[in-house]
Amino acid sequence: MKKILFVTGSGGHSTESLILFEQIKDKFEFEFLLENDDPFTKKQIKELKIYEAITIRGKKENFLFTIFRGIKCSIESFFVFIKSKPDIILSAGPGIAIPISYLGKLFGKKIIFIESWSRVNTKSIAGKFIYPISNQFYVQWPEMTKIYKKGIYKGRLG
């Protein structure tokens, strides 16, 4: 059975991820990479293997601190990738998906990204970075197929 490392963030990213997880949980082996400040998602999936990494962007932080967080998240992601050994990296949009997706691509893993349902007319930061390396890139609004030419529209999660 293929192993999916499901990368999710807090708030709406988490909600979208949990909706999708419920739909496909019996078809794959799952492990999760969560933002380290997300107790809600951790409670929802407590029976599964959970890894954590620092959030890349803090609210109202300056650019220099965001770079520091990005470096730390990349290091944490490297160790998660080595421990997890996923076949597929699946994400519904948080910034912590960027480093682990690039690591996965470097090692020939399949990268699946779902642009957030809050993105109707503009790209997310994570979407901008992961789109070029994704094997499958899903959008939740038909308008987004004009912005992401290889984007696949299948409707909204939920």
Side-chain angles (χ1 to χ4, degrees), residues 68-120:
F68 167 74
R69 281 177 170 273
I71 292 167
K72 186 168 188 214
C73 182
S74 297
I75 293 166
E76 292 172 343
S77 294
F78 174 77
F79 288 108
V80 167
F81 184 81
I82 297 301
K83 290 176 189 173
S84 177
K85 298 180 181 84
D87 298 301
I88 300 167
I89 296 171
L90 171 62
S91 177
I96 65 167
I98 297 168
I100 196 105
S101 294
Y102 274 83
L103 278 167
K105 192 66 173 182
L106 182 67
F107 287 96
K109 305 303 177 183
K110 187 172 185 176
I111 309 300
I112 301 172
F113 187 83
I114 303 163
E115 183 66 282
S116 174
W117 59 28
S118 68
R119 296 299 174 156
V120 180

